[in-house]
Amino acid sequence: MLRPYIIGMLTGAGPRACPLGGSDPQSLRDFFLLSVGRLNSNGMTSKQVLIVDDEERLRELVQACLEDLGGWATLTAGSGQEALKIAQTEAIDAILLDVSMPEMDGVAVFEQLQASPATQAIPVILLTAKVLPSDRARFAQMGIAGVIAKPFDPATISEEVAQILGWPAES
Protein backbone atom coordinates (compact mmCIF):
# COMPACT_ATOMS: atom_id res chain seq x y z
CA MET A 1 0.00 0.00 0.00
CA LEU A 2 2.82 2.46 0.80
CA ARG A 3 5.01 1.36 -2.08
CA PRO A 4 3.31 3.41 -4.86
CA TYR A 5 3.49 6.55 -2.74
CA ILE A 6 7.14 6.11 -1.87
CA ILE A 7 8.18 5.09 -5.39
CA GLY A 8 6.29 8.02 -6.87
CA MET A 9 8.02 10.42 -4.52
CA LEU A 10 11.47 9.02 -5.23
CA THR A 11 11.04 8.98 -9.01
CA GLY A 12 9.50 12.43 -9.19
CA ALA A 13 6.28 11.06 -10.71
CA GLY A 14 4.49 11.97 -7.50
CA PRO A 15 1.84 9.94 -5.77
CA ARG A 16 -1.80 10.56 -6.55
CA ALA A 17 -2.67 11.26 -2.92
CA CYS A 18 -1.10 10.90 0.46
CA PRO A 19 -3.08 8.54 2.74
CA LEU A 20 -2.50 10.96 5.63
CA GLY A 21 -4.16 13.75 3.66
CA GLY A 22 -2.75 16.44 1.44
CA SER A 23 -0.68 16.24 -1.69
CA ASP A 24 1.63 19.24 -1.30
CA PRO A 25 5.36 18.44 -1.36
CA GLN A 26 5.84 19.09 2.38
CA SER A 27 3.09 16.70 3.52
CA LEU A 28 4.33 14.07 1.04
CA ARG A 29 7.89 14.46 2.35
CA ASP A 30 6.65 14.17 5.93
CA PHE A 31 4.57 11.11 5.04
CA PHE A 32 7.59 9.45 3.44
CA LEU A 33 9.89 10.22 6.37
CA LEU A 34 7.27 9.10 8.88
CA SER A 35 6.70 5.86 6.95
CA VAL A 36 10.41 4.98 7.07
CA GLY A 37 10.79 6.04 10.70
CA ARG A 38 12.93 9.12 10.06
CA LEU A 39 10.56 11.83 11.33
CA ASN A 40 10.76 12.60 15.06
CA SER A 41 8.07 13.88 17.40
CA ASN A 42 8.94 17.51 16.62
CA GLY A 43 8.36 17.00 12.89
CA MET A 44 12.12 17.19 12.21
CA THR A 45 14.07 14.67 10.19
CA SER A 46 15.55 12.21 12.65
CA LYS A 47 19.11 10.98 12.60
CA GLN A 48 19.56 7.24 12.21
CA VAL A 49 22.17 5.49 14.34
CA LEU A 50 23.45 1.95 13.90
CA ILE A 51 24.24 0.26 17.22
CA VAL A 52 26.72 -2.62 16.95
CA ASP A 53 27.36 -4.86 19.96
CA ASP A 54 27.42 -8.61 20.44
CA GLU A 55 25.60 -8.27 23.78
CA GLU A 56 21.86 -8.16 23.08
CA ARG A 57 20.88 -6.48 26.37
CA LEU A 58 23.40 -3.72 25.83
CA ARG A 59 22.12 -3.15 22.26
CA GLU A 60 18.57 -2.91 23.60
CA LEU A 61 19.58 -0.48 26.36
CA VAL A 62 21.48 1.82 23.98
CA GLN A 63 18.63 1.60 21.46
CA ALA A 64 16.03 2.62 24.07
CA CYS A 65 18.21 5.52 25.28
CA LEU A 66 18.92 6.89 21.81
CA GLU A 67 15.32 6.58 20.66
CA ASP A 68 13.60 7.80 23.84
CA LEU A 69 16.10 10.41 25.02
CA GLY A 70 17.84 11.38 21.78
CA GLY A 71 14.79 11.19 19.52
CA TRP A 72 16.76 9.28 16.88
CA ALA A 73 15.87 6.28 14.78
CA THR A 74 18.10 3.27 15.38
CA LEU A 75 19.12 0.03 13.75
CA THR A 76 21.01 -2.73 15.54
CA ALA A 77 23.56 -5.36 14.60
CA GLY A 78 24.93 -8.19 16.71
CA SER A 79 28.14 -8.67 14.73
CA GLY A 80 30.64 -6.83 12.60
CA GLN A 81 29.54 -8.63 9.43
CA GLU A 82 25.90 -7.72 10.04
CA ALA A 83 26.90 -4.10 10.68
CA LEU A 84 28.79 -3.89 7.39
CA LYS A 85 25.77 -5.20 5.47
CA ILE A 86 23.43 -2.70 7.14
CA ALA A 87 25.83 0.21 6.60
CA GLN A 88 25.99 -0.61 2.87
CA THR A 89 22.21 -0.71 2.43
CA GLU A 90 20.70 1.77 4.90
CA ALA A 91 20.98 5.54 5.35
CA ILE A 92 23.12 5.69 8.49
CA ASP A 93 24.10 8.99 10.12
CA ALA A 94 26.41 7.48 12.77
CA ILE A 95 27.57 4.16 14.16
CA LEU A 96 28.09 3.20 17.80
CA LEU A 97 30.50 0.29 17.62
CA ASP A 98 31.65 -2.11 20.33
CA VAL A 99 35.39 -2.73 20.23
CA SER A 100 35.47 -6.26 21.71
CA MET A 101 33.37 -8.61 19.59
CA PRO A 102 34.00 -12.19 18.48
CA GLU A 103 35.01 -12.97 14.87
CA MET A 104 35.50 -9.32 13.82
CA ASP A 105 36.36 -6.68 16.40
CA GLY A 106 35.29 -3.05 16.20
CA VAL A 107 38.62 -1.83 14.83
CA ALA A 108 38.41 -4.33 11.94
CA VAL A 109 34.82 -3.21 11.25
CA PHE A 110 35.93 0.43 11.25
CA GLU A 111 38.76 -0.34 8.82
CA GLN A 112 36.32 -2.04 6.42
CA LEU A 113 33.91 0.89 6.70
CA GLN A 114 36.79 3.23 5.79
CA ALA A 115 37.74 1.07 2.80
CA SER A 116 34.32 1.50 1.17
CA PRO A 117 33.37 4.80 -0.51
CA ALA A 118 29.74 4.13 0.46
CA THR A 119 30.49 4.03 4.20
CA GLN A 120 33.74 5.90 4.81
CA ALA A 121 31.99 9.19 5.64
CA ILE A 122 29.82 7.67 8.41
CA PRO A 123 31.11 8.86 11.79
CA VAL A 124 31.95 6.05 14.20
CA ILE A 125 31.90 6.22 17.99
CA LEU A 126 33.52 3.31 19.79
CA LEU A 127 31.96 1.75 22.87
CA THR A 128 34.62 0.09 24.98
CA ALA A 129 35.26 -1.13 28.50
CA LYS A 130 39.01 -0.80 28.08
CA VAL A 131 40.16 2.67 27.12
CA LEU A 132 43.53 4.15 27.98
CA PRO A 133 44.68 7.67 27.08
CA SER A 134 47.02 6.11 24.48
CA ASP A 135 44.03 4.25 22.97
CA ARG A 136 42.07 7.51 22.65
CA ALA A 137 44.98 9.12 20.80
CA ARG A 138 45.33 6.11 18.47
CA PHE A 139 41.58 6.07 17.77
CA ALA A 140 41.60 9.81 17.02
CA GLN A 141 44.49 9.32 14.58
CA MET A 142 42.49 6.59 12.85
CA GLY A 143 39.60 9.02 12.29
CA ILE A 144 37.22 7.66 14.90
CA ALA A 145 34.79 10.40 15.96
CA GLY A 146 34.91 9.56 19.66
CA VAL A 147 34.95 6.98 22.42
CA ILE A 148 32.32 6.25 25.06
CA ALA A 149 33.58 4.14 27.95
CA LYS A 150 31.58 1.24 29.35
CA PRO A 151 29.90 1.27 31.71
CA PHE A 152 28.15 4.42 30.51
CA ASP A 153 25.33 6.42 32.08
CA PRO A 154 22.11 5.51 30.20
CA ALA A 155 20.59 8.87 31.12
CA THR A 156 23.33 10.80 29.32
CA ILE A 157 24.50 8.57 26.46
CA SER A 158 22.39 10.41 23.89
CA GLU A 159 23.90 13.70 25.07
CA GLU A 160 27.41 12.22 24.78
CA VAL A 161 26.69 11.05 21.23
CA ALA A 162 25.24 14.45 20.27
CA GLN A 163 28.23 16.25 21.75
CA ILE A 164 30.78 14.03 19.98
CA LEU A 165 29.00 14.42 16.64
CA GLY A 166 28.04 18.07 17.00
CA TRP A 167 24.34 17.27 16.73
CA PRO A 168 21.71 19.41 18.45
CA ALA A 169 20.16 17.75 21.49
CA GLU A 170 16.47 16.78 21.29
CA SER A 171 14.35 19.24 23.23
Side-chain angles (χ1 to χ4, degrees):
M1 181 170 143
L2 297 179
R3 190 178 189 128
Y5 299 104
I6 294 170
I7 291 171
M9 287 176 55
L10 295 175
T11 62
R16 286 173 276 306
C18 176
L20 298 179
S23 60
D24 63 280
Q26 184 64 41
S27 66
L28 293 175
R29 176 193 160 276
D30 290 351
F31 169 71
F32 172 73
L33 293 171
L34 186 63
S35 70
V36 295
R38 298 289 304 263
L39 198 64
N40 68 15
S41 60
N42 295 330
M44 301 296 291
T45 304
S46 178
K47 300 286 188 183
Q48 183 155 264
V49 180
L50 174 59
I51 303 158
V52 187
D53 200 300
D54 58 312
E55 296 180 39
E56 183 178 6
R57 288 185 180 173
L58 189 65
R59 281 195 315 269
E60 291 172 352
L61 174 63
V62 174
Q63 182 176 30
C65 293
L66 297 185
E67 289 178 356
D68 296 345
L69 301 175
W72 303 317
T74 62
L75 296 170
T76 63
S79 70
Q81 288 293 348
E82 184 182 2
L84 292 170
K85 288 177 187 172
I86 292 171
Q88 290 285 343
T89 60
E90 298 290 333
I92 305 295
D93 296 298
I95 299 173
L96 265 66
L97 179 60
D98 183 25
V99 172
S100 300
M101 294 186 294
E103 298 175 31
M104 180 185 288
D105 70 12
V107 174
V109 173
F110 176 77
E111 289 170 348
Q112 288 202 25
L113 290 166
Q114 292 301 294
S116 170
T119 58
Q120 65 187 186
I122 303 171
V124 173
I125 298 172
L126 295 179
L127 293 171
T128 182
K130 304 170 192 165
V131 61
L132 302 171
S134 59
D135 291 332
R136 287 185 187 272
R138 180 172 63 96
F139 294 150
Q141 286 178 337
M142 292 172 62
I144 290 171
V147 177
I148 296 176
K150 293 179 187 177
F152 56 84
D153 180 356
T156 62
I157 190 168
S158 64
E159 293 171 11
E160 286 184 73
V161 170
Q163 182 180 17
I164 289 168
L165 299 174
W167 292 354
E170 173 92 349
S171 42

